[in-house]
Amino acid sequence: MSKKPGSIIKAEYFLFRAVFGFLQFLPEPIAVAFSKTLAILLYSLIPSFRRVGLRNLDIAFPDLPLSEKKRILRKSFSNLGRMLAEISQFQKLDKSDFAKKIIFDFDNEALELYEKVKRGETGVLIVTAHLGNWELFVYSFAALFQPMSYLARPLDNPLLEEFTSRLRSRFGNQPINKRNSLLKAASILKKGQILGLLADINTHPKEAVFVPFFNQLAATSSGPALLALRAGSPLVPLFCVYDENERIYKVIRGSIIYPDSTLTDKEQIKHLTRLYTAEIEKVVRKFPEQWVWIHRRWKTRPPGEPPLY
């Protein structure tokens, strides 16, 4: 990727900080209403967003009527607006405030695993998705439980990257550059710590395993499976979704996934990737209005298959 000119970097940064600062100044309910309206306006004004989003919904839900697909896509944009407004308020909140915004209702299996983490007996690899408010999940986990490291590809604007990293790290979370990070990430897990990553985006063929996602093969990162194998750690799917009725976020846990020693490493990578992708699909099917549909999830195709976009 070519480096952006300095003038573009500064312009993007100041525009974002102006919007973010304005939202931060407002009371949260007004900030949320304003930001959701702004997001719907972007949905209306940018045809490429609508085209990609509706194409993805055609792939995922071919039997839904067009009106329902448009409704889901509009709600998805509205969710992004809510998310931005809520992030703008984070610096106003202390740890006790986060307990009022999000419910971590863990069952005995999850609690037992967390106790092992606290004793340093095992690391845990949390896999999540661009759904609900993933930033709130990482932020509040550090505030209410303990900090985690998280894998992320740096933004192509270094000023925005510095700002977002500083925001995310307030309660001790540590970013790790996703590029060439396997050894460092595995070391964190082997020390009995928590590592998080977003695992629902299209992946370069060199790093990809093709597994089903909404009945279409999708190029999916082999990284989580490789890390689980190298560190001997379980994969824990966790998702932060918004409950419209109760007006609070809830953390939903998928099935905990453990490496299977009866399989070869190559078989395990495919197996683990298929399992965690299936958990992501389950939650997207349940809360389609909260997933980011404008990403070209099926862009990379298996050899010989035609493009879907």
Side-chain angles (χ1 to χ4, degrees), residues 289-302:
E289 300 92 346
Q290 298 191 40
W291 195 54
V292 180
W293 289 98
I294 57 174
H295 168 67
R296 289 179 169 85
R297 181 62 183 92
W298 293 273
K299 179 180 178 181
T300 300
R301 307 307 306 137

Side-chain angles (χ1 to χ4, degrees), residues 48-61 64 69 71-77 80 130-131 200 213-214 281 283-298 309:
S48 61
F49 285 170
R50 297 196 302 276
R51 283 197 300 270
V52 173
L54 290 173
R55 177 59 182 141
N56 282 336
L57 284 160
D58 285 340
I59 294 168
F61 300 109
L64 281 184
K69 292 171 184 172
R71 185 196 68 81
I72 290 172
L73 190 55
R74 284 194 298 270
K75 290 284 287 185
S76 174
F77 271 80
L80 287 173
H130 294 85
L131 181 139
D200 62 335
F213 187 59
F214 285 94
E281 181 179 329
V283 76
V284 175
R285 283 187 180 276
K286 190 172 182 179
F287 302 96
E289 300 92 346
Q290 298 191 40
W291 195 54
V292 180
W293 289 98
I294 57 174
H295 168 67
R296 289 179 169 85
R297 181 62 183 92
W298 293 273
Y309 300 95

Side-chain angles (χ1 to χ4, degrees), residues 101-103 239-243 246 248-252:
K101 295 181 70 67
I102 186 169
I103 296 173
F239 309 95
C240 177
V241 300
Y242 187 66
D243 188 313
E246 298 185 28
I248 195 168
Y249 283 93
K250 297 180 178 179
V251 175
I252 294 176

Side-chain angles (χ1 to χ4, degrees), residues 65-135:
L66 179 60
S67 60
E68 178 63 7
K69 292 171 184 172
K70 288 182 176 179
R71 185 196 68 81
I72 290 172
L73 190 55
R74 284 194 298 270
K75 290 284 287 185
S76 174
F77 271 80
S78 178
N79 180 73
L80 287 173
R82 183 200 301 120
M83 178 179 171
L84 176 61
E86 289 169 340
I87 293 171
S88 75
Q89 306 292 306
F90 283 178
Q91 290 175 309
K92 300 178 182 179
L93 307 178
D94 59 28
K95 292 185 177 183
S96 62
D97 293 320
F98 284 98
K100 302 171 186 175
K101 295 181 70 67
I102 186 169
I103 296 173
F104 287 86
D105 188 18
F106 291 150
D107 58 12
N108 288 337
E109 184 182 12
L111 289 173
E112 288 173 7
L113 185 57
Y114 181 57
E115 288 300 319
K116 289 182 179 180
V117 171
K118 290 198 293 184
R119 295 194 296 267
E121 296 175 9
T122 184
V124 164
L125 179 57
I126 294 175
V127 290
T128 190
H130 294 85
L131 181 139
N133 192 331
W134 59 94
E135 296 286 357

Side-chain angles (χ1 to χ4, degrees), residues 203-214:
T203 305
H204 190 278
K206 290 182 179 179
E207 305 168 2
V209 177
F210 286 96
V211 296
F213 187 59
F214 285 94

